[in-house]
Amino acid sequence: MVNNIVAAVKCADICRSISLQQEAEILTTLKGCPYVVQFFGADVSIDNDNISTYNLFLEYACGGLLQDLIINSKRGMIKMSELEVGFYAYQLLKAIQHVHKKGWIHCDIKPANILVFDNATNERGGMHKLKLADIGLSLRVDEGMAYVTGTPLSNRGTLLYAPVESLTCGFHDKA
């Protein structure tokens, strides 16, 4: 905990840390958006066996994942009102808008990549704050352009949540 901020650490062996290093670079360009997970920095640590580990320091989401919130809602453990769903959709759309304005396409938007933050202050009427995370698969795309993979079915991210155009035509764009 630094300055009363709790951080989460994503880490990988330095040899397999390319996606984490890319995530650090991308998150640096996305700083300042309240709907994208905060990036505090990165570092390399070396343990007693001289094994290097790449560490990515991110904002900790004590509320877990949107995926868990949805599952609990389906099980009847919590109830989500239409107002709540609208508020969550608004936050996600603002996050996506920010990512697109900065020239990126997330490529893996799904409930497991959306963090839930506690509503302890109750300033939002008991509703949670959501933030987009897991930015490592994002692609840089200039305005009015698309990223072409070259072949259909060569999408990035989770197949179940992939946009149709990436599966059928082999490209990713902001639309």
Side-chain angles (χ1 to χ4, degrees):
M1 184 147 53
V2 178
N3 296 331
N4 293 327
I5 296 174
V6 178
V9 181
K10 286 175 75 172
C11 56
D13 185 281
I14 197 78
C15 300
R16 292 178 285 216
S17 66
I18 294 295
S19 66
L20 283 184
Q21 292 177 39
Q22 289 173 336
E23 187 167 358
E25 289 176 25
I26 296 166
L27 284 169
T28 299
T29 69
L30 297 176
K31 281 190 176 186
C33 179
Y35 305 109
V36 175
V37 68
Q38 288 185 51
F39 169 61
F40 298 130
D43 196 9
V44 176
S45 59
I46 301 172
D47 68 12
N48 292 336
D49 296 325
N50 271 343
I51 297 173
S52 299
T53 303
Y54 185 83
N55 303 291
L56 192 66
F57 302 100
L58 303 168
E59 182 177 17
Y60 175 70
C62 61
L65 305 172
L66 179 59
Q67 176 177 311
D68 301 328
L69 202 59
I70 292 168
I71 289 169
N72 289 336
S73 174
K74 286 181 179 177
R75 288 184 183 155
M77 297 170 73
I78 59 166
K79 295 288 182 198
M80 268 196 252
S81 68
E82 191 174 323
L83 181 65
E84 263 182 293
V85 172
F87 180 60
Y88 298 155
Y90 170 81
Q91 293 176 79
L92 296 176
L93 290 171
K94 293 300 279 184
I96 294 166
Q97 180 183 39
H98 180 76
V99 170
H100 289 179
K101 274 185 184 175
K102 295 294 184 174
W104 295 99
I105 301 172
H106 188 283
C107 295
D108 199 21
I109 296 175
K110 60 184 179 183
N113 288 342
I114 298 164
L115 304 178
V116 177
F117 290 81
D118 197 4
N119 59 358
T121 60
N122 212 19
E123 65 190 39
R124 294 175 294 277
M127 293 185 278
H128 298 282
K129 184 166 189 175
L130 303 182
K131 293 191 181 192
L132 192 56
D134 285 341
I135 308 285
L137 290 178
S138 297
L139 295 170
R140 169 71 82 185
V141 177
D142 294 326
E143 192 62 39
M145 303 295 288
Y147 180 87
V148 179
T149 59
T151 59
L153 298 176
S154 59
N155 73 300
R156 294 171 74 93
T158 307
L159 186 60
L160 184 61
Y161 294 96
V164 173
E165 65 274 9
S166 73
L167 296 175
T168 58
C169 303
F171 72 89
H172 298 271
D173 68 358
K174 293 178 182 176

